[in-house]
Amino acid sequence: MTGNVSARTSRGPNKLTLAISALLLGPALSGCILGTERPDLNLDTPATYREGGHTAPDAHLPAVDWWRGFKSSELTSLMDAAQIYNLDIAVAIAQIAQADAQVGVQGAPLLPSVTGTGNAEQSRNSTGSFATGGGIGGTTFQQYSLGLTASYMIDFWGKNRATLHAAEETATAQRYNREIVTLTTIVTVANTYFQVLAAQDELRVARRNLAAAERILTLIKQQFAGGTASQLDLSQQETQVSTERAAIPPLEITLRQNIAALAVLVGRAPANFIVKGGTMTQIAVPRVTPGLPSELLNQRPDVRQAEAQLASSNFSVESARAAFFPQIQLTAQTGVQSAALASLFGPGAWFYTLSAGLTQPLFDGFLLESQLKQAKGVQLQNLQAYRKAVLSAFSDVEKALVALSQTTLQERLETEAVANARKAFEVSETQLRAGTVNLITVLQTQQTLLTNENALAQVRLNKLLAASSLFQALGGGWTPTGQLSSLQPQEGVTQPAR
């Protein structure tokens, strides 16, 4: 920005035009991305599921709001609240904003950089010294300048563009991550709510059995007072009553802790959160079939996320490979410069400089080679992660199908067992009152009923958990239709992706 103004020539504007044209043509010369060989995915995709049978591709796939199929208004309201107020989802949305900003950072080198400068300088030179007997006077100089500097790195080999594409794929992966977090959150809400219902059912069973044990204890006390029952009979029944009463506090712990966990999932303080609950028998299990395994690769957001991460690492390899080639830098500088502020914008104050430079790495201590090896290592890591995500998706569906079908069968068998056990206990209690059966038989039938009722409650819980696991394994109703437009980062509230 400094120099003699009079040394500038009038032919400068033509050269400046050439410089500006070069800067504008720079982006057109960029983008020759080096093609790299994409790794072979080598996916083992089965034609059908072993447990799902032969079904049509879209037969009873999960709806977007699949939780409404459980026919619970309270569960639906909890799901809606979780999608609005859950803090894990809010964190995932913030991560999308960061990834989008990083795309802008990585895309900046693809555009020219323009900088404005301004400078005012005053200096004074001495014309003599005391040693030579000269005077103390001097000359004062003033310098004023305004200028613009533009620079551009021609991305001829595609290094910067590949870096931009890698950042874009990372941002896409963050959008899929939000879907993963959302799906995990709503499945956790469903499972926790089912745990609450199971605890309430088990509490009803425990209290019902406690009431039955107390009724028998009252009868034994009457028989003991009449001399028809022994102290041993009385002590045994008192032990049974104490055992039934001691089974209630652990169930209360389970119930209250799961309610507190639900409060956190919907962004509420546990002290101000109430769940009405009910019973698992009021919960319906929606019908769902898995469709074709090949469609699962589009239904599962975690698989799509792994795919985007692999694509990002592919571009990173391209960027690391392009770094081995020469880099061309264009720079243009223009402005006005004068010793007097009044003549700063005069015709003779204008100046410019043009430059073009080429840089070719020769030896850097194997830095570029190591960076390329590192990028290839990340690419291989993401490739294996993608393969595992695909296989895990198939496995999750198979396991959920097995669990749902077997727990459905087990629920039917346990229901029959509970009905028989209840009938046996009622008969034994009636016979005990008539004095035709001993207390040991009554205690055995009561314990059998308690065991079967608790087993039935656990089986029902497992069935509901298997149903929610199947929805999660199938992607929770998420579909890739309009995936990017529907997954744009939002501020504050997120809705289920369509």
Side-chain angles (χ1 to χ4, degrees):
M1 298 296 291
T2 60
N4 191 346
V5 177
S6 62
R8 314 297 177 184
T9 67
S10 61
R11 291 180 297 172
N14 294 330
K15 294 181 179 181
L16 178 64
T17 302
L18 293 175
I20 295 176
S21 300
L23 287 172
L24 294 177
L25 289 174
L29 298 175
S30 303
C32 301
I33 299 178
L34 291 176
T36 59
E37 185 177 346
R38 295 293 191 271
D40 185 9
L41 298 181
N42 192 24
L43 299 178
D44 182 14
T45 305
T48 59
Y49 295 104
R50 174 179 296 180
E51 296 295 329
H54 298 279
T55 58
D58 298 325
H60 299 286
L61 289 178
V64 174
D65 51 352
W66 51 267
W67 51 88
R68 297 182 184 275
F70 290 106
K71 306 299 183 183
S72 171
S73 58
E74 186 173 40
L75 176 60
T76 299
S77 64
L78 289 172
M79 292 293 195
D80 294 339
Q83 292 177 83
I84 297 174
Y85 301 111
N86 182 265
L87 298 180
D88 290 330
I89 298 177
V91 169
I93 294 175
Q95 290 172 340
I96 293 177
Q98 297 176 48
D100 285 343
Q102 189 63 29
V103 171
V105 171
Q106 299 300 335
L110 292 173
L111 299 175
S113 174
V114 180
T115 304
T117 60
N119 186 52
E121 180 182 355
Q122 179 174 307
S123 62
R124 184 176 185 277
N125 295 335
S126 175
T127 59
S129 65
F130 289 103
T132 59
I136 307 179
T139 303
T140 301
F141 297 93
Q142 293 178 336
Q143 182 91 344
Y144 302 94
S145 64
L146 292 174
L148 290 175
T149 301
S151 63
Y152 181 73
M153 178 74 70
I154 298 180
D155 193 30
F156 189 78
W157 309 108
K159 175 180 180 295
N160 294 334
R161 191 168 296 277
T163 302
L164 172 61
H165 290 331
E168 289 173 342
E169 292 293 345
T170 299
T172 301
Q174 286 299 334
R175 283 164 167 74
Y176 293 130
N177 178 68
R178 190 195 72 172
E179 294 304 318
I180 295 172
V181 173
T182 302
L183 178 57
T184 302
T185 297
I186 60 179
V187 169
T188 303
V189 169
N191 290 344
T192 306
Y193 184 72
F194 296 152
Q195 294 278 3
V196 170
L197 298 182
Q200 290 176 329
D201 282 348
E202 290 178 353
L203 275 171
R204 279 188 284 270
V205 170
R207 290 175 178 138
R208 186 167 59 247
N209 281 277
L210 175 60
E214 289 175 340
R215 288 198 310 270
I216 295 176
L217 177 61
T218 300
L219 179 60
I220 296 299
K221 286 181 177 180
Q222 294 173 352
Q223 293 178 347
F224 178 76
T228 58
S230 66
Q231 181 63 47
L232 178 59
D233 294 334
L234 180 61
S235 299
Q236 285 179 326
Q237 189 59 29
E238 287 176 340
T239 301
Q240 183 66 24
V241 170
S242 299
T243 301
E244 298 289 352
R245 189 175 288 118
I248 293 178
L251 298 175
E252 289 284 358
I253 293 174
T254 301
L255 173 63
R256 298 178 187 183
Q257 287 182 343
N258 279 287
I259 291 177
L262 267 179
V264 176
L265 289 170
V266 299
R268 297 279 301 278
N272 303 324
F273 183 72
I274 298 175
V275 174
K276 180 180 178 181
T279 175
M280 289 185 290
T281 58
Q282 297 176 346
I283 302 295
V285 177
R287 182 185 177 188
V288 58
T289 52
L292 298 179
S294 58
E295 293 297 323
L296 189 65
L297 304 186
N298 289 328
Q299 294 169 204
R300 291 265 298 220
D302 58 334
V303 174
R304 300 305 299 272
Q305 181 192 37
E307 183 181 16
Q309 290 172 338
L310 176 58
S312 176
S313 62
N314 291 339
F315 284 118
S316 295
V317 171
E318 293 181 359
S319 177
R321 188 185 300 277
F324 284 88
F325 293 87
Q327 297 181 357
I328 303 174
Q329 178 79 33
L330 301 179
T331 304
Q333 187 179 32
T334 186
V336 290
Q337 181 176 276
S338 175
L341 184 61
S343 60
L344 181 62
F345 297 100
W350 181 80
F351 72 92
Y352 74 91
T353 58
L354 305 173
S355 65
L358 184 145
T359 303
Q360 170 62 57
L362 297 178
F363 180 74
D364 56 3
F366 304 103
L367 174 62
L368 295 179
E369 183 178 357
S370 299
Q371 289 175 339
L372 178 59
K373 290 180 178 179
Q374 181 185 29
K376 287 184 176 180
V378 174
Q379 181 188 46
L380 180 59
Q381 173 185 330
N382 289 337
L383 173 62
Q384 304 303 339
Y386 176 66
R387 290 171 175 168
K388 181 180 179 181
V390 172
L391 294 179
S392 297
F394 295 147
S395 176
D396 290 343
V397 174
E398 294 283 6
K399 291 188 293 184
L401 288 172
V402 171
L404 184 58
S405 63
Q406 294 303 311
T407 51
T408 300
L409 174 61
Q410 188 180 10
E411 180 187 24
R412 179 174 61 82
L413 298 176
E414 282 292 347
T415 301
E416 295 176 359
V418 167
N420 294 330
R422 181 176 291 111
K423 182 177 180 180
F425 174 69
E426 291 172 353
V427 170
S428 66
E429 185 178 2
T430 301
Q431 292 180 347
L432 178 64
R433 293 181 182 277
T436 59
V437 70
N438 58 32
L439 181 60
I440 298 299
T441 302
V442 176
L443 292 177
Q444 289 176 344
T445 56
Q446 183 184 13
Q447 186 61 41
T448 300
L449 175 61
L450 173 62
T451 301
N452 282 279
E453 286 183 326
N454 285 334
L456 178 59
Q458 190 61 45
V459 168
R460 284 173 175 166
L461 173 61
N462 291 339
K463 179 182 177 181
L464 293 176
L465 296 179
S468 63
S469 295
L470 180 57
F471 283 115
Q472 184 177 21
L474 293 175
W478 180 87
T479 59
T481 303
Q483 58 195 29
L484 294 184
S485 61
S486 65
L487 298 179
Q488 294 300 323
Q490 305 176 18
E491 296 182 1
V493 178
T494 178
Q495 297 296 331
R498 292 298 192 270

